[in-house]
Amino acid sequence: MAQPQTEWVPTVDDLKVKLCYICREEDRFDNPEDPPRAWTHPCACTLVAHESCLLQWIKSAQQSSSLNKNALKCPQCGVRYELESDNPLVLRALNALNTLLSNAGQAATIVGCVSLTVSFGFTIYVVATSYGAFAVKEFLGEEMYNLLLTDDPSNFPSAFAHARRASFLKAKDCLGLLHSWLKKRELESRRVKSRSFAGVDISGLELINPPPGLTSGAQAGPA
Ligand SMILES: [Zn+2]
Ligand SMILES: [Zn+2]
């Protein structure tokens, strides 16, 4: 067993043989991969993986509706992977808004301010296009209406509504573009936090340079 002075805890870099649990490729310390790829030990069991394989797996799992829930969980020990990435507040707000919108679309029970805004906007739009010209004309009188608003009275309110609609759609497009760009940047900046083997039974793993007192096959003590 490990002596009390042995505070040393091995990490993924101390393994003689690393086996990626995703692509099943092996990396031996005496015959390293060329070019080398980063390895990670992301959870509380003995599974290790290429960081790139794990990130790819997480990315695809997050895009699948059935795997999404477990995308960040180790399939063996169930521990949650910790990701580090460039995830600004704007991106989190846009993600939350997206989720809110899709939930509101799916669940009839969630009415909330989103649909209220939409129906209010729709009402304004209908009023502006269908009845706007008539109402304004009734209110102001035809002469005043012509004088104040336009020389083509039947055209003006709907043209105005179309312009507003177009600028709303443009703003939506811009937000969508910003959202995709931030999402792409977040994906590219992702790193998986690698943990030491503290508290993990590594008796089945061979270490490159186990310190005196911790022979290969011993269990690492808690951190
Ligand atoms: Zn791999
Ligand atoms: Zn695990």
Side-chain angles (χ1 to χ4, degrees):
M1 281 307 280
Q3 298 299 306
Q5 89 254 15
T6 318
E7 296 271 309
W8 182 80
V9 177
T11 68
V12 68
D13 297 321
D14 297 304
L15 299 180
K16 274 191 178 172
V17 182
K18 305 184 201 71
L19 172 68
C20 177
Y21 84 88
I22 293 165
C23 72
R24 310 301 299 172
E25 275 176 38
E26 232 180 48
D27 189 5
R28 302 190 59 89
F29 80 112
D30 49 3
N31 183 22
E33 278 186 309
D34 187 28
R37 284 185 282 172
W39 284 85
T40 184
H41 170 245
C43 59
C45 65
T46 52
L47 291 184
V48 299
H50 291 115
E51 190 178 33
S52 53
C53 289
L54 187 56
L55 284 172
Q56 186 56 47
W57 189 83
I58 291 173
K59 188 178 144 195
S60 344
Q62 283 181 330
Q63 285 162 355
S64 139
S65 51
S66 56
L67 296 175
N68 184 25
K69 225 171 44 177
N70 294 321
L72 286 172
K73 265 193 197 168
C74 170
Q76 185 163 283
C77 67
V79 158
R80 200 178 158 79
Y81 301 142
E82 282 181 60
L83 290 184
E84 287 160 355
S85 66
D86 189 359
N87 192 3
L89 185 67
V90 188
L91 178 58
R92 277 172 283 158
L94 285 170
N95 284 338
L97 185 70
N98 246 13
T99 313
L100 185 75
L101 285 175
S102 66
N103 284 347
Q106 281 161 12
T109 43
I110 304 173
V111 180
C113 61
V114 175
S115 46
L116 201 69
T117 312
V118 168
S119 55
F120 180 70
F122 184 67
T123 310
I124 296 283
Y125 177 70
V126 168
V127 167
T129 46
S130 313
Y131 304 110
F134 174 74
V136 172
K137 215 182 287 182
E138 284 294 291
F139 184 70
L140 294 175
E142 190 154 3
E143 271 178 50
M144 190 60 113
Y145 175 85
N146 289 346
L147 195 72
L148 280 180
L149 291 180
T150 171
D151 43 324
D152 186 0
S154 62
N155 223 6
F156 179 78
S158 70
F160 180 65
H162 280 307
R164 280 191 47 159
R165 206 173 129 75
S167 60
F168 169 72
L169 287 178
K170 252 179 230 157
K172 214 173 130 226
D173 282 353
C174 287
L175 266 190
L177 267 177
L178 176 71
H179 195 191
S180 338
W181 180 71
L182 286 172
K183 274 203 285 195
K184 188 165 165 274
R185 218 178 55 150
E186 193 273 329
L187 272 177
E188 284 167 356
S189 68
R190 273 186 184 178
R191 299 290 319 262
V192 182
K193 202 176 156 211
S194 190
R195 303 170 196 231
S196 74
F197 284 104
V200 181
D201 179 6
I202 52 164
S203 45
L205 301 176
E206 273 190 278
L207 302 177
I208 300 170
N209 279 317
L214 185 82
T215 49
S216 195
Q219 182 176 334

